[in-house]
Structures are given as structure tokens and as C-alpha cells.
């Protein structure tokens, strides 16, 4: 240590002062020089070791702070306390004791980090579960908002939205599609004769018959009251007319067994009329619906339980074709 070095140095100084002759003084001077060199070497090595220790500490702190940026106030306070203790430890002269204390503080910081990570994992799991629940409820709400409460098929709002999408898509692809409006014949008579509960059962059964006899790519919705709307893609109007005629036959063969006040095991049958129109390029949604509605009116007027079609006037189609060609 420094005390032994100073004691030895003092002894050599006294020897030099009391020595007789140049040889003795020279040997004492060389011993003194070697002692000083050895002490300097030890001091230099100690300084290098201390600097390496400090470098390790600084590197660790930089890495830790980079990872822990943005943490909570409590977590920051824990780190600041640990940092203060580390700062106090740096004043130690013994590098080994310094390392021991730093190791203890590092262990404590690691424990704090692990506890925080554990809390964050729990919070993340809870938040993820809440988000999943909210997403599920949102999807359920969207589904409920787009379905008819009685029949379970798409409602008018969903039809209007889908109808606009179909027009935009078929405007680009120029692929044909038809819209059909299907209305149950004499439905008011069912309500008046058997009651609204029986009428509801008829509406539900008709929706099931229609849904079971159209393609998966078709779109079915309750358009309003006892009226249904069907979007059908990839077919010309003449082909659609045949398909819808077969569908009306299925409705005609439908038998709805129901019970009402004063009547037991009542069997109700009904027919339906249908009007269909094919989309023409450039046509507005309101114009296409109006043509299908006009066709439905014609089917009703012609005796019901049949399909009528309404083509776009040739003059309108001619002008639309010229307009599109001029734009192109």
C-alpha cells in the first residue's frame, strides 16, 4: 500500500544521507528509482482497471436507459434512486468494492425491469382481451344493423349499400347483372284472415324459400313489407326470367303451418309476383330500380304469380353508347 511505499522511500532517503562513498550512494539511488518505478507501474495498472470498470458501468447505463425510455414515473423514480447509489459508489477508491456494489445495483435494476415487464404483459393481455371483445361486439353490431330483424336476411339499408357497390363493380367489368323485386301476392289478406303473427311466419318462410333457391353469389334482402330484392350477376335478362319463374313456383308450393287464436294447425299458402330489369352501363341506381318496379307492377296487373321484365329503352341505350364512345 501507500504507507509501506512511503516508509521504504523514507528509509532509502536516510541511507543516501548517511552513506559514505559514491558506490553506496549509487546503489541506494538505483534502489530508490526501482521502487518508484514499481509503484508508478502499480498505480498505472490500477488506473487502467478503474477506467475499464467505469467504461463498463457507463455502457450498461446507456443501454439500460435506451431500453427503458418512456416508462412510468414510478419506474423512473426507482431508476433514479439506483443511479444515485451508483453515483455514490463511484467515489470508492477500491475498484473491487466498486464492482461489487455496482453488481448489486445492476441486479436490483434488472429485478425492477422484470417486474415492470411482467406487469406490462398482464396489462397487455387484459387490453388485448378487451380489444378483442370490443371488436367482436362491433362486428355483431354491424351484422345486426345490416340484417332484417324478422327474416334474418339483409335489410333495406344493406341492400342500398350493396346495390351501389354492384353498379360500380359492373360498370368497370361491363358484366351484366339483374335486379329483381319480388312481392307476395294478397299478403294483406293473410294478415286480415290469420293475424300478423301468421303473417310474420309467412314472411319468414318465404325468405327461407328464396334464400334456398338462389345462388351463393346472389344477394337477397328484404326490401320492405312483403317485398324482397335479389341481385343476380353473370346472366342476361332472359335467363334470369326463367330462374325467377322457377322460384315463384317454389313459393307457390310452400305450405306454412301455423296456429292462431281460435284456429289450430292452420295451413297457409301464397303466391308472389316478380319484376326484373338488367343493368345498363351508365344507368343510375334509381332508374334501374324504377324499371324493376314497373316490371313488378306489370306482373301484378297481368294476373300475379308471374315474372315480368323491363328492358331499357333502345333510344336511351343508343345515346349512352354514343356518349361512352365519345369519352373513350
Amino acid at each position: 500500500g501507500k504507507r509501506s511505499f512511503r516508509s521504504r522511500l523514507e528509509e532509502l532517503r536516510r541511507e543516501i544521507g548517511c552513506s559514505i562513498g559514491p558506490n553506496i550512494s549509487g546503489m541506494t539511488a538505483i534502489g530508490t528509482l526501482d521502487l518508484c518505478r514499481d509503484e508508478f507501474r502499480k498505480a498505472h495498472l490500477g488506473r487502467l482497471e478503474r477506467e475499464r470498470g467505469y467504461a463498463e458501468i457507463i455502457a450498461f447505463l446507456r443501454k439500460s436507459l435506451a431500453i427503458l425510455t418512456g416508462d412510468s414515473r414510478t419506474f423512473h423514480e426507482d431508476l433514479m434512486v439506483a443511479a444515485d447509489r451508483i453515483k455514490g459508489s463511484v467515489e470508492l477508491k477500491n475498484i473491487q468494492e466498486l464492482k461489487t456494489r455496482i453488481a448489486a445495483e445492476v441486479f436490483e435494476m434488472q429485478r425492477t425491469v422484470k417486474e415492470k415487464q411482467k406487469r406490462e404483459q398482464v396489462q397487455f393481455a387484459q387490453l388485448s382481451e378487451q380489444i378483442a371483445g370490443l371488436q367482436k361486439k362491433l362486428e355483431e353490431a354491424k351484422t345486426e344493423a345490416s340484417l332484417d330483424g324478422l327474416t334474418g336476411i339483409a335489410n333495406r339499408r344493406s341492400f342500398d349499400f350493396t346495390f351501389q357497390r354492384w353498379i360500380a363493380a359492373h360498370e368497370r367489368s361491363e358484366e351484366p347483372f339483374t335486379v329483381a323485386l319480388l312481392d307476395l301476392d294478397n299478403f294483406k289478406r293473410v294478415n286480415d284472415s290469420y293475424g300478423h303473427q301468421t303473417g310474420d311466419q309467412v314472411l319468414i318462410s318465404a325468405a327461407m324459400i328464396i334464400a334456398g333457391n338462389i345462388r351463393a353469389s346472389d344477394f337477397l334482402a328484404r326490401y320492405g313489407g312483403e317485398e324482397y330484392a335479389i341481385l343476380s350477376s353473370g346472366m342476361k335478362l332472359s335467363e334470369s326470367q326463367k330462374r325467377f319463374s322457377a322460384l315463384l313456383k317454389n313459393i307457390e308450393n310452400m305450405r306454412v303451418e301455423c296456429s292462431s287464436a281460435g284456429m289450430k294447425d292452420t295451413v297457409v299458402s301464397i303466391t308472389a309476383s316478380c319484376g326484373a330489369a338488367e343493368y345498363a352501363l351508365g344507368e343510375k341506381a334509381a332508374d334501374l330500380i324504377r324499371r324493376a318496379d314497373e316490371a313488378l307492377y306489370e306482373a301484378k296487373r297481368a294476373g300475379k304469380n308471374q315474372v315480368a321484365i323491363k328492358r331499357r329503352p333502345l333510344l336511351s341505350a343508343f345515346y349512352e353508347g354514343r356518349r361512352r364512345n365519345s369519352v373513350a
Side-chain angles (χ1 to χ4, degrees):
K2 288 187 176 181
R3 182 174 300 176
S4 60
F5 167 73
R6 288 176 180 175
S7 298
R8 180 59 180 156
L9 187 62
E10 182 65 22
E11 292 175 0
L12 291 172
R13 187 184 66 80
R14 286 197 298 268
E15 289 179 11
I16 293 174
C18 299
S19 62
I20 300 174
N23 291 333
I24 297 176
S25 298
M27 291 177 61
T28 304
I30 292 174
T32 303
L33 182 61
D34 289 339
L35 178 64
C36 292
R37 285 176 176 174
D38 184 68
E39 185 64 21
F40 177 81
R41 181 181 61 81
K42 290 180 180 179
H44 180 66
L45 292 177
R47 184 177 62 83
L48 291 178
E49 185 179 3
R50 184 183 294 270
E51 289 178 353
R52 283 196 297 269
Y54 289 160
E56 292 175 1
I57 295 168
I58 293 172
F60 170 80
L61 292 177
R62 284 179 176 174
K63 183 178 180 181
S64 298
L65 291 176
I67 295 174
L68 301 174
T69 300
D71 289 333
S72 63
R73 189 179 69 176
T74 302
F75 189 65
H76 278 158
E77 290 175 354
D78 292 341
L79 288 184
M80 292 305 295
V81 171
D84 289 340
R85 289 198 297 264
I86 291 175
K87 183 178 179 181
S89 298
V90 170
E91 299 175 359
L92 294 173
K93 302 301 182 180
N94 191 323
I95 188 65
Q96 192 60 41
E97 184 178 356
L98 172 63
K99 285 186 174 182
T100 301
R101 292 203 183 179
I102 291 298
E105 295 300 337
V106 167
F107 176 80
E108 181 64 21
M109 292 176 70
Q110 289 176 340
R111 186 188 63 80
T112 304
V113 170
K114 289 180 180 179
E115 289 181 354
K116 181 177 183 296
Q117 289 175 340
K118 186 176 180 180
R119 291 195 303 270
E120 287 179 342
Q121 289 175 354
V122 173
Q123 293 173 349
F124 179 77
Q126 292 174 345
L127 289 175
S128 297
E129 185 177 355
Q130 292 176 356
I131 291 172
L134 291 174
Q135 289 177 335
K136 183 179 180 181
K137 289 181 179 180
L138 179 61
E139 293 300 324
E140 291 174 350
K142 286 182 179 178
T143 301
E144 291 177 0
S146 65
L147 296 182
D148 176 61
L150 176 64
T151 62
I153 62 177
N155 58 18
R156 172 64 180 272
R157 177 176 176 272
S158 180
F159 172 80
D160 291 340
F161 176 75
T162 303
F163 191 33
Q164 293 291 346
R165 288 173 50 196
W166 275 51
I167 289 178
H170 288 79
E171 182 74 13
R172 292 191 298 269
S173 66
E174 300 188 2
E175 183 183 18
F177 84 91
T178 60
V179 56
L181 297 179
L182 190 150
D183 187 84
L184 300 182
D185 298 326
N186 306 314
F187 182 73
K188 184 177 182 299
R189 186 183 305 169
V190 174
N191 280 334
D192 293 342
S193 301
Y194 305 104
H196 289 280
Q197 184 175 357
T198 298
D200 288 347
Q201 293 177 347
V202 170
L203 289 172
I204 295 171
S205 298
M208 293 176 61
I209 290 293
I210 298 172
N213 287 275
I214 60 176
R215 301 173 305 174
S217 58
D218 295 342
F219 182 83
L220 170 65
R222 186 181 179 190
Y223 196 69
E226 64 272 20
E227 193 171 11
Y228 304 87
I230 305 171
L231 300 178
S232 185
S233 181
M235 291 185 297
K236 290 292 185 179
L237 190 57
S238 57
E239 186 179 355
S240 297
Q241 186 177 15
K242 294 178 182 179
R243 288 184 62 246
F244 294 135
S245 295
L247 177 59
L248 294 187
K249 182 63 65 174
N250 290 325
I251 295 175
E252 183 181 7
N253 295 331
M254 178 183 70
R255 297 293 182 267
V256 180
E257 296 183 2
C258 50
S259 300
S260 58
M263 297 182 182
K264 293 184 178 181
D265 301 329
T266 303
V267 178
V268 179
S269 61
I270 200 168
T271 62
S273 301
C274 179
E278 181 181 338
Y279 172 68
L281 294 177
E283 187 174 17
K284 295 181 180 179
D287 294 333
L288 180 55
I289 286 292
R290 185 177 63 251
R291 285 200 293 121
D293 194 55
E294 290 174 353
L296 175 61
Y297 178 77
E298 292 178 3
K300 292 279 190 180
R301 188 174 56 181
K304 303 178 181 179
N305 194 25
Q306 57 186 285
V307 178
I309 60 175
K310 187 74 173 181
R311 300 184 184 277
R312 194 179 189 193
L314 291 177
L315 188 60
S316 298
F318 173 75
Y319 281 121
E320 178 61 27
R322 291 192 61 182
R323 185 188 70 81
R324 293 177 66 87
N325 290 335
S326 63
V327 171

